[in-house]
Structure formats: structure tokens, C-alpha cells
């Protein structure tokens, strides 16, 4: 079965829930203000899932759009992969829930936990399955309803996160097709895991009254330290991807980075010696949507007519773990 195939992006889709949480709303909830949030993060609003709207619901809407654009149906899929750290429940996986909602065959479905790097990790996994010839059509989704894990009394975290889903259908490319995933490079540094954690709900701290009393069901973050690592790691990921492919920054049409903080992305552009106008940035509209951030940023830039077929696109991610990685592709 070992083949020499390559993968291409056949369709993309995204979904942002309707409900909005603006900086003005947050001013009424914690001691903060629009000017501080805008200047320190670039975020102006975030979309939040409605009550009863879950991660798999967001994933379904993004996936349906990606399948339609690819000209495929759920029956054509060989694998459903959902990158998330805020799945519908611990078990079964959100990928299994999505597989059922889409009406797929009894194909492989699993969740992937790599926080904000999850989508780039997922693309790399899909690429490996296609390169070997094992599968032809793979749905890769990044979906989060993170706001349910955020403490709206903690002004350092509650201003950052939003909910969203983005999906790509990745398929086997025809021989000679130059629009392919060219490379992926993935990393993790577990020694820095304590910088961004969601302590409770696993086997280490199962749910109890104590969890609610301590608030350990919410994310905890050392923001300033993450900031430094994010700039360094994202810059390294960009260089690594280009060096592996013998490319120079001026050949890249768009850098689509994880949408964490506008100042992080500006700093990466400076360190990478890359024009800021070619960095896709729409976090003013979305906030940080973790695993959904890159496919949503890509899809919104595509809808705006920025990203076009045939362009060289560099995806770069970092997230809790700390995980990081890049994908270079000709779209
Ligand atoms: N409103 C007003 N003031 C605030 C707020 C707020 N929402 N939050 C913090 N402050 C205050 C602090 O208390 C501090 O006050 P002090 O000087 O009196 O002590 C001051 O602002 C500066 O605080 P810093 O932490 O130094 O602010 P910084 O410029 O670093 O911005 C931020 C904080 C926005 C969190 C930034 O560090 C950041 O974005 N870090 C990366 C976070 C991130 O990306 N997390 C997720 C990574 S993993 C993933 O994406 C899933």
C-alpha cells in the first residue's frame, strides 16, 4: 500500500457563531477597557456559541461548506479528524459525533489534542495518510467552544478567547498537480506545559465540589511568558518551513499564523523579515479560537479575495503544550 502520493486542499469552510461578545460587553464584566484590549491584543469582538450549541455543531457547519466546495459528500470521506481541546464531552470523541452528524460511512474518526497547533498537527496527519496511499479523502477540522472553559472574572484570559470552527477537505492530488501540501514540521516542549493549562476534568483532578470551589475547571495562563515563547517559536517555525523547501520569505504569498495576539504577529513578521500586509490577521473579529484559528483565518481571507488558488501559503502555529508547527502548501 505504500505509495508516492501527495495531498491537495480540495475545499475549505468556516463557521462563526452568531452571538457576539464585544470589548464594551467585557468592560461591564471585569476591570478592563476597550482601549487596553485593542492596544494590547488587537481583539475587538469574539463570537460565542449559543446555549445548546456545541463544538460538533460548529464543526458540522464548517465541514458541510468544505465538502460542498470540494464537490464531495460525507460518503466520500475516508477519515474524520477533529482537532480540539473543548470537545462536546471527554468520550466519545467529537470526531465520532461529527462522523454521525455528517452521515459518513463507518470510517476512522478521532480527536487530536494539540491546543492551538491542533489544525496544523491534523493537516500533517492527513498528509501522511494520503502520502502512503491509505486514504484519498480526509476531513480535517479545528473546532472549539472554549468560552465554556474561561473564567469571566479573570480579565487576563476572558478577553482573549472565542468560539469557531474551520474545516478542510484534503484529497489525493493528481500526478503532476503542483497545488499540494509541500511540507509539515511539528514540535512540542512539554517542559513549558504549565504556562497554559486547564487543570480539572481529567484523571488528575476529576470533577468535584472542590473543583468548583477552586475554579480549576477554567483555563489558567502565564500570558507574558507565553508571549515571549510564541514570538520565538512561530519565527523558528516559519524559518524551518522555508529552509526545508529552499524558499525565501519573498516567495510566500500569505503567512496564516495562529491568531493569538496582534502584537505577537507583528513581532513575528519583524523577526521573520516578512511584510506585515502579507500576514493574514482577522483576530479583531474572532479573538483566539485555538485549533479553529488557522482554518478560520484562511477561510475569511479567501472570502475577502486575498488568498487565491496557486498561491504559496505558510501556516504557523503554537499553543498549549507548548506545541508548535508549520505547513507550507501551494493552494
Ligand atoms: N485589562 C486591563 N488591564 C489588564 C488586563 C485587562 N484585560 N489584563 C492584564 N492587565 C494589566 C495587568 O494586571 C498589568 O497590570 P500591572 O502593570 O499593574 O501589574 C498590566 O495590565 C500589564 O500586564 P501584562 O501581563 O504585562 O500585559 P501584556 O502586555 O503581556 O498583555 C496578554 C497580556 C494580552 C495576556 C499578553 O501577554 C498575551 O497576549 N499573551 C499571550 C497569550 C496567549 O496567546 N495565550 C494563549 C496561548 S496558547 C493558545 O493560543 C491556546
Amino acid at each position: 500500500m505504500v505509495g508516492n502520493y501527495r495531498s491537495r486542499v480540495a475545499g475549505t469552510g468556516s463557521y462563526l457563531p452568531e452571538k457576539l461578545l464585544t470589548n464594551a460587553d467585557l468592560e461591564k464584566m471585569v476591570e478592563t477597557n476597550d482601549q487596553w484590549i485593542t492596544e494590547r491584543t488587537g481583539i475587538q469582538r469574539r463570537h460565542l456559541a449559543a446555549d445548546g450549541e456545541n463544538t460538533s455543531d460548529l464543526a458540522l457547519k464548517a465541514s458541510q461548506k468544505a465538502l460542498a466546495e470540494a464537490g464531495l459528500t460525507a460518503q466520500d470521506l475516508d477519515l474524520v479528524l477533529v482537532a480540539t481541546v473543548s470537545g462536546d464531552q471527554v468520550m466519545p470523541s467529537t470526531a465520532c459525533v461529527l462522523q454521525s452528524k455528517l452521515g459518513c460511512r463507518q470510517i476512522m474518526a478521532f480527536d487530536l489534542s494539540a491546543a492551538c497547533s491542533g489544525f496544523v498537527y491534523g493537516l500533517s496527519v492527513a498528509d501522511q495518510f494520503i502520502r502512503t496511499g491509505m486514504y484519498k479523502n480526509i476531513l480535517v477540522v479545528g473546532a472549539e467552544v472554549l468560552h465554556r472553559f474561561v473564567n469571566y472574572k479573570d480579565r487576563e484570559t476572558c478577553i482573549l478567547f472565542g468560539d469557531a470552527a474551520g474545516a478542510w477537505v484534503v484529497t489525493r492530488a493528481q500526478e503532476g498537480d503542483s497545488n499540494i501540501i509541500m511540507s509539515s514540521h511539528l514540535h512540542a516542549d512539554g517542559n513549558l506545559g504549565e504556562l497554559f493549562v486547564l487543570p480539572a476534568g481529567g484523571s488528575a483532578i476529576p470533577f468535584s465540589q472542590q473543583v468548583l470551589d477552586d475554579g480549576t475547571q477554567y483555563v489558567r495562563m502565564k500570558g507574558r511568558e507565553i508571549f515571549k515563547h510564541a514570538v520565538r517559536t512561530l519565527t523558528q517555525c516559519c524559518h524551518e518551513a522555508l529552509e526545508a523547501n529552499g524558499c525565501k520569505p519573498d516567495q510566500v504569498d500569505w503567512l496564516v499564523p495562529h491568531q493569538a495576539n496582534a502584537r505577537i504577529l507583528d513581532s513575528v513578521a519583524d523577526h521573520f523579515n516578512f511584510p506585515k500586509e502579507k500576514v493574514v490577521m482577522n483576530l479583531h473579529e474572532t479573538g483566539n479560537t485555538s485549533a479553529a484559528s488557522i482554518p478560520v483565518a484562511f477561510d475569511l481571507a479567501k472570502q475577502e479575495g486575498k488568498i487565491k488558488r496557486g498561491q504559496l501559503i505558510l501556516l504557523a502555529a503554537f499553543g498549549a503544550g507548548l506545541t508548535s508547527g508549520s505547513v507550507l502548501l501551494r493552494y
Side-chain angles (χ1 to χ4, degrees):
M1 187 186 298
V2 174
N4 191 19
Y5 304 105
R6 302 303 295 263
S7 15
R8 80 190 302 268
V9 183
T12 73
S14 61
Y15 175 72
L16 291 165
E18 274 173 38
K19 189 172 153 193
L20 283 179
L21 181 70
T22 64
N23 290 353
D25 296 328
L26 284 162
E27 283 179 1
K28 295 175 204 140
M29 298 159 77
V30 284
E31 200 184 324
T32 190
N33 59 76
D34 175 45
Q35 189 185 354
W36 192 96
I37 301 174
T38 306
E39 285 177 6
R40 307 306 290 169
T41 72
I43 301 167
Q44 289 169 2
R45 53 194 162 267
R46 320 106 193 102
H47 293 246
L48 302 191
D51 290 346
E53 194 176 28
N54 298 323
T55 306
S56 63
D57 300 314
L58 274 53
L60 177 65
K61 288 185 170 144
S63 301
Q64 286 166 333
K65 291 180 194 169
L67 280 166
E69 191 179 278
L72 296 175
T73 71
Q75 289 286 310
D76 297 315
L77 292 173
D78 303 311
L79 162 62
V80 173
L81 192 167
V82 177
T84 186
V85 288
S86 56
D88 289 13
Q89 62 268 308
V90 173
M91 194 172 68
S93 71
T94 300
C96 285
V97 178
L98 178 63
Q99 187 229 42
S100 163
K101 287 183 175 175
L102 280 168
C104 301
R105 293 173 288 119
Q106 290 182 7
I107 53 167
M108 177 179 178
F110 70 98
D111 285 0
L112 188 157
S113 172
C116 309
S117 307
F119 190 75
V120 161
Y121 267 56
L123 279 184
S124 180
V125 171
D127 189 39
Q128 312 313 314
F129 273 116
I130 286 178
R131 280 178 185 249
T132 60
M134 186 157 173
Y135 292 142
K136 275 188 184 164
N137 300 318
I138 299 178
L139 178 66
V140 183
V141 184
E144 306 280 10
V145 178
L146 258 187
H147 92 267
R148 295 195 184 127
F149 301 92
V150 167
N151 181 356
Y152 284 93
K153 291 183 178 147
D154 173 10
R155 68 177 181 174
E156 204 185 333
T157 52
C158 74
I159 58 162
L160 296 177
F161 298 103
D163 305 333
W168 285 14
V169 175
V170 181
T171 63
R172 183 191 287 182
Q174 300 283 333
E175 223 181 305
D177 192 345
S178 56
N179 291 351
I180 55 170
I181 292 181
M182 295 160 66
S183 67
S184 58
H185 294 87
L186 307 177
H187 302 282
D189 184 354
N191 296 319
L192 296 171
E194 91 285 357
L195 295 184
F196 190 59
V197 291
L198 205 174
S203 57
I205 310 179
F207 279 117
S208 65
Q209 186 56 47
Q210 192 66 43
V211 166
L212 300 179
D213 294 344
D214 297 344
T216 48
Q217 76 274 33
Y218 297 128
V219 294
R220 291 182 177 186
M221 182 183 81
K222 294 184 180 155
R224 211 177 302 180
E225 286 175 61
I226 290 181
F227 194 105
K228 281 186 287 182
H229 288 292
V231 173
R232 183 180 50 81
T233 309
L234 282 171
T235 307
Q236 279 170 358
C237 286
C238 291
H239 282 301
E240 184 180 37
L242 295 200
E243 277 164 24
N245 290 279
C247 294
K248 298 269 175 265
D250 62 7
Q251 292 174 267
V252 175
D253 291 294
W254 293 103
L255 169 61
V256 188
H258 168 48
Q259 308 284 302
N261 179 317
R263 286 188 300 130
I264 291 177
L265 303 192
D266 282 347
S267 212
V268 170
D270 288 340
H271 285 83
F272 183 43
N273 202 12
F274 193 75
K276 290 193 176 70
E277 57 277 11
K278 285 165 68 174
V279 179
V280 168
M281 217 193 293
N282 37 44
L283 51 78
H284 63 282
E285 176 62 39
T286 60
N288 179 345
T289 62
S290 187
S293 131
I294 286 179
V296 168
F298 181 97
D299 204 49
L300 296 182
K302 208 175 91 174
Q303 287 170 27
E304 287 166 22
K306 290 178 174 168
I307 292 181
K308 297 186 183 74
R309 279 283 177 198
Q311 289 182 332
L312 190 63
I313 311 287
L314 175 56
L315 314 181
F318 82 96
L322 294 181
T323 55
S324 59
S326 67
V327 166
L328 186 70
L329 67 123
R330 193 161 290 285
Y331 175 62

